[in-house]
């Protein structure tokens, strides 16, 4: 066997025996690297006689090519094997039960919606819902917004492309249209709350284009402002889990209520903390009022027979206040660390008897 054949067999055996990409690289350097066995042989060509070189040149070049090819082939095989092994080890059996440590949490918006629902259901309210995509009638007209009234613009509405008849659907700017849907389909007495998504073209630390409200509506034969105040004061105490809350009803304007008010609650700042209930400062938490007779008429109810009150509150803002969350935009950033920090235990259902939050 010639010297070249011996070297070739030896190198091919080493290539074959290399079981890792790093091991194979060592063999390559030892053969084809600057000081490798094959490269050293190539260097001897210069000192050879022309006849010798004629014979050894092609022989050595052939050796070099075959070794390089064998290394490439082995490398491809090793890469393929590594991929196979990885695929095998990373297989996910989707039929397995969830791992006990993989725990989700309840988003503060869901938690607060559940808390508000628990409070009002204890007062005899039931939950109603309506569509996110509304028409002008339910979102504005039936709620006594005059055509071209600036109150419509106040709402920064997202409109869809006009339909053939020129009318435009919109993303509801508040949950109040569900008042209309309920009054048009159900007979009083009514006592409902309406949690849901709402949309306005707005974004900063305390506004996001999608946000959440809870609406309330009570319709009966002898409903007055005292009922409204009592209901909302009881709500504020229960929600903030304090024994007493200072409240203030400030006159305001909403097209769908008359009279209308905003409810403020007392608070004080102690260091970094906001203490709700007492203190000298006022914070607005909801809008409310007695249902406007025009709204009743628009829904086919006789305002001489029925009266009612309504209110609407921002869920996200109530969550920020109660749980000390500084930026509303984080609510919808889907950051798992944020959710882990501010989220709630999925097994703790808020109730008035077991406690709203723990
Ligand atoms: N819809 C109002 C808003 O989004 C909130 C509101 C105020 C709702 C007064 C009511 C109400 O039902 O009576 O700004």
């Amino acid at each position: 066997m010639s010297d070249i054949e011996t070297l070739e067999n030896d190198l091919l055996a080493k290539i074959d025996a290399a079981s890792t990409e790093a091991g194979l690289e060592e063999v390559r350097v030892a053969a084809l690297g600057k000081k490798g066995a094959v490269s050293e042989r190539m260097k001897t060509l210069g000192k050879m006689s022309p006849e010798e070189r004629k014979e050894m040149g092609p022989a050595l070049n052939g050796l070099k090519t075959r070794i390089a090819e064998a290394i490439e082939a082995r490398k491809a095989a090793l890469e393929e094997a590594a991929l196979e092994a990885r695929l095998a080890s990373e297989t996910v059996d989707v039929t397995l039960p969830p791992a006990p440590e993989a725990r989700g949490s309840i988003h503060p918006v869901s938690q607060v919606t559940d808390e508000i629902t628990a409070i009002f259901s204890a007062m005899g309210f039931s939950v109603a819902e309506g569509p996110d995509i509304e028409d002008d009638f339910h979102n504005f007209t039936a709620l006594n917004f005059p055509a071209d009234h600036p109150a419509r613009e106040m709402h920064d509405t997202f409109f869809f492309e006009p339909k053939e008849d020129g009318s435009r659907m919109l993303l509801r700017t508040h949950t109040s249209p569900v008042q209309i849907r309920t009054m048009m389909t159900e007979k009083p007495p009514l006592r409902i709350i309406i949690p849901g998504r709402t949309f306005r073209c707005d974004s900063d630390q305390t506004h996001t284009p999608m946000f959440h409200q809870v609406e309330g509506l009570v319709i009966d034969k002898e409903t007055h402002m005292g009922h409204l105040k009592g209901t909302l004061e009881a709500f504020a105490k229960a929600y903030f889990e304090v024994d007493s809350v200072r409240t203030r009803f400030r006159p305001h304007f909403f097209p769908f209520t008359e009279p209308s008010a905003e409810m403020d609650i007392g608070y004080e700042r102690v260091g970094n903390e906001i203490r709700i209930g007492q203190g000298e400062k006022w914070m607005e938490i909801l809008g409310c009022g007695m249902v406007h007779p025009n709204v009743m008429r628009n829904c086919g109810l006789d305002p001489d027979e029925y009266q009612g009150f309504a209110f609407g509150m921002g869920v996200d803002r109530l969550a920020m206040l109660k749980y000390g969350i500084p930026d509303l935009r984080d609510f919808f950033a889907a950051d798992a660390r944020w959710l882990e920090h501010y989220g709630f235990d999925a097994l703790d259902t808020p109730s008035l008897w077991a406690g709203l939050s723990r």
Side-chain angles (χ1 to χ4, degrees):
M1 213 191 299
S2 76
D3 174 40
I4 292 187
E5 272 175 286
T6 314
L7 177 61
E8 178 163 356
N9 287 341
D10 178 43
L11 288 175
L12 289 177
K14 284 188 178 144
I15 292 169
D16 215 35
S19 58
T20 62
E21 287 182 54
L24 183 64
E25 177 62 10
E26 273 175 36
V27 178
R28 189 192 66 78
V29 172
L32 306 178
K34 257 194 190 147
K35 297 207 167 126
V38 177
S39 313
E40 291 293 341
R41 298 285 146 120
M42 303 288 282
K43 285 182 202 158
T44 63
L45 284 173
K47 288 180 204 127
M48 288 178 191
S49 68
E51 290 76 37
E52 258 182 319
R53 197 179 304 137
K54 218 174 186 179
E55 194 192 324
M56 289 303 282
L60 283 173
N61 268 323
L63 169 70
K64 189 177 162 189
T65 311
R66 287 192 300 280
I67 295 298
E69 280 169 3
I71 290 174
E72 273 314 303
R74 183 73 189 138
K75 191 168 172 212
L78 286 176
E79 277 171 2
E80 168 125 8
L83 180 64
E84 289 296 329
R86 217 177 114 199
L87 287 176
S89 74
E90 290 178 6
T91 302
V92 176
D93 182 350
V94 294
T95 65
L96 287 174
E101 69 275 15
R103 289 166 39 119
S105 63
I106 299 295
H107 194 283
V109 168
S110 305
Q111 168 75 20
V112 165
T113 305
D114 288 349
E115 292 182 17
I116 297 171
T117 306
I119 296 165
F120 283 104
S121 56
M123 291 194 242
F125 285 68
S126 49
V127 172
E129 287 183 314
D132 290 358
I133 298 176
E134 266 296 2
D135 52 31
D136 187 83
F137 174 79
H138 290 91
N139 198 79
F140 291 124
T141 307
L143 285 162
N144 200 35
F145 285 76
D148 302 322
H149 192 277
R152 287 181 190 239
E153 256 130 68
M154 244 160 59
H155 277 227
D156 295 319
T157 314
F158 288 111
F159 288 101
F160 287 82
E161 291 291 322
K163 294 197 266 193
E164 271 178 15
D165 64 5
S167 66
R168 291 187 291 179
M169 299 298 281
L170 48 88
L171 290 176
R172 67 177 178 194
T173 57
H174 49 179
T175 40
S176 307
V178 189
Q179 288 190 28
I180 303 297
R181 291 181 176 277
T182 309
M183 282 189 272
M184 292 181 89
T185 53
E186 282 171 39
K187 264 186 81 66
L190 298 175
R191 221 178 276 166
I192 54 162
I193 53 162
I194 305 149
R197 278 192 190 89
T198 47
F199 307 84
R200 284 182 210 180
C201 186
D202 210 351
S203 183
D204 61 32
Q205 196 177 344
T206 53
H207 296 89
T208 49
M210 188 277 302
F211 57 106
H212 300 82
Q213 290 188 334
V214 170
E215 187 89 9
L217 176 70
V218 171
I219 305 278
D220 209 336
K221 292 200 166 162
E222 280 163 27
T223 317
H224 53 70
M225 198 92 186
H227 295 131
L228 171 136
K229 280 188 77 174
T231 303
L232 293 176
E233 281 174 359
F235 162 75
K237 260 196 326 202
Y239 177 72
F240 289 106
E241 301 179 64
V242 288
D243 294 331
S244 68
V245 182
R246 289 200 319 134
T247 58
R248 172 172 87 172
F249 288 79
R250 233 175 339 93
H252 198 75
F253 172 79
F254 298 106
F256 36 88
T257 41
E258 180 59 36
S260 304
E262 281 188 329
M263 178 171 123
D264 297 340
I265 53 171
Y267 77 98
E268 63 189 339
R269 208 179 262 278
V270 184
N272 254 347
E273 197 191 331
I274 288 184
R275 291 222 185 116
I276 306 276
Q278 303 307 321
E280 293 303 307
K281 299 204 168 109
W282 294 107
M283 170 155 37
E284 177 245 315
I285 65 160
L286 55 82
C288 58
M290 302 305 294
V291 178
H292 198 293
N294 288 349
V295 174
M296 297 265 200
R297 282 188 209 103
N298 291 340
C299 298
L301 295 176
D302 178 359
D304 291 328
E305 189 180 358
Y306 292 107
Q307 308 89 47
F309 67 85
F311 54 88
M313 53 183 102
V315 174
D316 318 86
R317 196 172 134 76
L318 284 170
M320 291 170 83
L321 276 177
K322 181 164 175 180
Y323 295 111
I325 309 175
D327 195 319
L328 181 57
R329 291 165 297 197
D330 294 337
F331 275 61
F332 311 117
D335 181 334
R337 291 162 308 174
W338 187 92
L339 287 168
E340 192 165 325
H341 182 79
Y342 287 110
F344 291 82
D345 191 325
L347 299 176
D348 274 348
T349 312
S351 70
L352 288 182
W353 57 91
L356 286 182
S357 61
R358 263 174 263 176

